[in-house]
Every structure is written in structure tokens, then in C-alpha cells.
Amino acid sequence: MQDNILVIGACGQLGTELVEALRNIYGDAHVIASDVRQSPDEVFKQGPFELLDIMDKQALETVLQKHKPTQVYHLAALLSATAEAKPKLGWSLNMDGLFHVLDAAVDFKIGKVYWPSSIAVFGPHTPMNHTPQNCVMDPNTIYGISKLAGERYCEYYFNKRGVDVRSLRYPGLIGYKSAPGGGTTDYAVSIYHDALTTGEHSCFLGPDTELPMLYMPDALKATLDIMHAPADQIKIRSSYNLAGMSFDPKAITASIQKFIPDFKTTYAPDHRQAIADSWPNSIDDSEARADWGWQPAYDLDAMTKDMLMNLAPRYGKSLSL
Ligand code: SER
């Protein structure tokens, strides 16, 4: 049977790239992008697009009746810093959106559901280094609390309602094709743009704030790999730990300076410092590696080179990389 895939929250940082990757695999007509807003990005002109507010259950059901998707990727969420600024909206969007999708998966017999979790499920009492899959989880942000509750709901719907739901705890995602919005890890995206424009980055985290990160091509690969793996290989139905690399603002600055020696970072930590401090430094993802063969390709310098190479022409720069 030909798969039809619905991507909810398609115009975000991950969705934009995932829609492109899915259209390359399944064909433009079989990947339905949806979001509360229309994006000018070219990829959305190449196949079906539905305006959809995930808080509106009826509207979701109308889209499901129309396109009869066999898989749903539900990416719509408020990220950490935005959800702290708008806690009620953060909680209701992140939770109600997931309830609507999981209930619809039962009612419409959707074959597979993908829902992203995050390193934000961990908290101040979590072991900070090589954080294991199962450990103390005491998130203290609305975003983290919603993701941890969401993980429990996913596992519950798998066990009790038979929904084949799969999930990854993403580290900070870094890519050049689409802009991030509202995350604590997002300095690691803007720093590359600053390096190619002003030559200076003012960092909202301190120099030694180490966080787990992942380059977008690896994030896409992990997402597609877990969705394509046979169901019996997916042994964790809450969400898998996932790691690529870990670095602090000092280290990413040094990595950029290998290519742009005059680049400078200054430090002006703000309210996001406390969020970052409550998250792990590094993640143990051995279960993802063992169960469905996860293996990242990019380290910090390989990512820096690829980011700068792809962003430089946008700013009329040529770098010898
Ligand atoms: N990148 C996210 C954030 O910073 C973490 O999942 O909010």
C-alpha cells in the first residue's frame, strides 16, 4: 500500500527539512504538510499543504478524512524559552496537540505516529554526564514537564490502545536550511550566522555551558531510521535517548575560529542560563544504537565546516574551507 504521510508543525525548524526528506522518499503528492501558518519555503509549493491548528480537534479530523494518512509526524510545539514566556499556551499546545493526535491514531487507525521528545525531560537531579535512558527525571520547565508527560502518554497509548508511536529525545538541533524558534540551544545556530555577518556573537549562555547537540542531517537520519525500523525493534515506547555531540559556547567558538580566525564571542547570560543549567551535559544513547542501529556521522568540526560552507554564499562570502 502506498503510504500517505501527514506532517503537523511542518513549517518549523525540523518540519521544513523533514518534509523535504520525506518527499524525496515517498513522492511530493504523498507527503501532506500542515501548520497554523503558511511558510514561503519552496518545499511547501511542491506538494499538498493544509492550514491546521492542532488545538482544533475537528479540523484535524477533517484533514485526516481528506488525506487518509498512514503515518503522522506530530512536531507542533512551543520550545523551552517560548513556553516559559507563555506557560499556559505552552502546556495546552504541547499536551492537547498530542492528545488529539493519539486519539485520532486510534479512531482513524493510523499505522505509525512520530512525536519528538527532548533532553528537556531531564532536570537538576538527573545525572549530568552520559545521562542514562532511565534515571531521575525532574524537569523544571513547562516544556520539559510537557515532554515528560507526553512520553508517558505515548507509552500508555502503545500499551493500552495499540498505537505504534515512536519518539526520540532530541538534543539541540542545528541546521542551516530553516530558522529555529524559541529554544535554549538555538544560540548554536545563530552563532554561525553571526560569524558570517558581524564576526561577533553575543551568547545568552555562559562560556562553559555544555549541552548535547545534533546536526540536522543526523537528526533527519535518526527520525527516518526509527520510523522505518520494524516494530519489534522499537523496545522503548516512551522516547529514546539520542546523542550526536556535546559542546559549550567556548568550544563552538574555537571550532568556528579554525575557519574564521577573527571571530569573537562575548557572553551575556540571561534567563535561558537557568534552563540550560538544568539539562544534561551529555547523553548515553546506547539503547538507540543497540535496538535500531543509531550512529551519528557529524562531530563539532565536521558540522562547523558544513554549516559555514552552506551559509557563506547566502551572505556573499567565500571561505577557503
Ligand atoms: N532545542 C530545544 C530547546 O532548546 C530542546 O529540545 O528548547
Side-chain angles (χ1 to χ4, degrees):
M1 188 176 78
Q2 169 73 54
D3 274 302
N4 278 330
I5 296 165
L6 174 66
V7 182
I8 299 166
C11 298
Q13 184 197 14
L14 174 65
T16 305
E17 298 214 26
L18 193 61
V19 166
E20 189 181 340
L22 287 167
R23 285 191 170 155
N24 288 337
I25 298 170
Y26 294 94
D28 292 345
H30 296 287
V31 179
I32 303 102
S34 73
D35 208 304
V36 272
R37 63 193 168 86
Q38 187 54 283
S39 157
D41 199 288
E42 270 308 304
V43 70
F44 298 111
K45 301 194 182 109
Q46 282 151 21
F49 185 90
E50 297 284 350
L51 272 182
L52 173 64
D53 177 357
I54 193 57
M55 306 283 273
D56 183 347
K57 194 172 186 201
Q58 192 69 53
L60 171 65
E61 291 179 357
T62 305
V63 169
L64 294 174
Q65 261 144 14
K66 181 171 165 193
H67 294 283
K68 306 198 171 23
T70 53
Q71 300 178 34
V72 173
Y73 288 73
H74 170 41
L75 311 178
L78 286 199
L79 292 191
S80 57
T82 317
E84 286 310 286
K86 298 178 183 169
K88 285 223 158 71
L89 177 64
W91 178 257
S92 53
L93 175 71
N94 293 1
M95 296 313 300
D96 288 345
L98 179 61
F99 297 155
H100 292 167
V101 170
L102 290 175
D103 283 337
V106 176
D107 296 344
F108 289 80
K109 301 188 173 42
I110 292 165
K112 275 188 253 185
V113 174
Y114 180 79
W115 174 80
S117 185
S118 159
I119 53 163
V121 293
F122 299 115
H125 294 89
T126 296
M128 296 292 267
N129 295 308
H130 304 290
T131 302
Q133 176 72 35
N134 294 302
C135 55
V136 172
M137 297 165 89
D138 56 347
N140 58 10
T141 61
I142 289 291
Y143 178 66
I145 298 167
S146 73
K147 287 295 182 188
L148 183 54
E151 286 191 5
R152 305 316 307 148
Y153 262 93
C154 286
E155 191 185 280
Y156 184 91
Y157 268 69
F158 172 75
N159 284 326
K160 302 280 163 85
R161 316 288 304 267
V163 177
D164 184 352
V165 54
R166 304 171 182 208
S167 177
L168 299 170
R169 291 175 180 155
Y170 289 127
L173 299 184
I174 297 163
Y176 61 87
K177 288 192 186 166
S178 51
T184 302
T185 56
D186 292 345
Y187 87 87
V189 178
S190 31
I191 198 168
Y192 288 111
H193 293 263
D194 290 345
L196 290 162
T197 52
T198 60
E200 190 167 323
H201 176 70
S202 169
C203 192
F204 59 69
L205 300 179
D208 305 313
T209 313
E210 186 177 1
L211 286 169
M213 302 278 186
L214 188 64
Y215 194 34
M216 191 59 87
D218 277 335
L220 294 171
K221 182 175 162 330
T223 309
L224 295 170
D225 282 356
I226 193 175
M227 284 298 272
H228 291 154
D232 61 0
Q233 283 181 18
I234 311 300
K235 306 217 166 71
I236 294 172
R237 293 297 182 154
S238 50
S239 190
Y240 275 92
N241 271 12
L242 188 75
M245 60 189 96
S246 278
F247 57 79
D248 59 23
K250 253 184 2 258
I252 190 173
T253 299
S255 178
I256 293 172
Q257 284 167 340
K258 289 181 186 162
F259 304 97
I260 306 175
D262 294 338
F263 174 65
K264 275 191 195 58
T265 298
T266 57
Y267 297 94
D270 67 10
H271 58 281
R272 288 166 282 196
Q273 184 68 49
I275 300 179
D277 288 343
S278 75
W279 291 350
N281 298 333
S282 58
I283 299 287
D284 174 357
D285 63 358
S286 45
E287 267 144 296
R289 289 169 187 259
D291 290 357
W292 44 273
W294 163 240
Q295 179 96 58
Y298 286 85
D299 63 12
L300 175 56
D301 284 342
M303 173 176 78
T304 295
K305 189 171 177 184
D306 203 60
M307 283 292 284
L308 293 175
M309 198 175 71
N310 281 287
L311 284 175
R314 193 182 299 181
Y315 296 113
K317 295 266 162 68
S318 66
L319 296 171
S320 49
L321 296 169

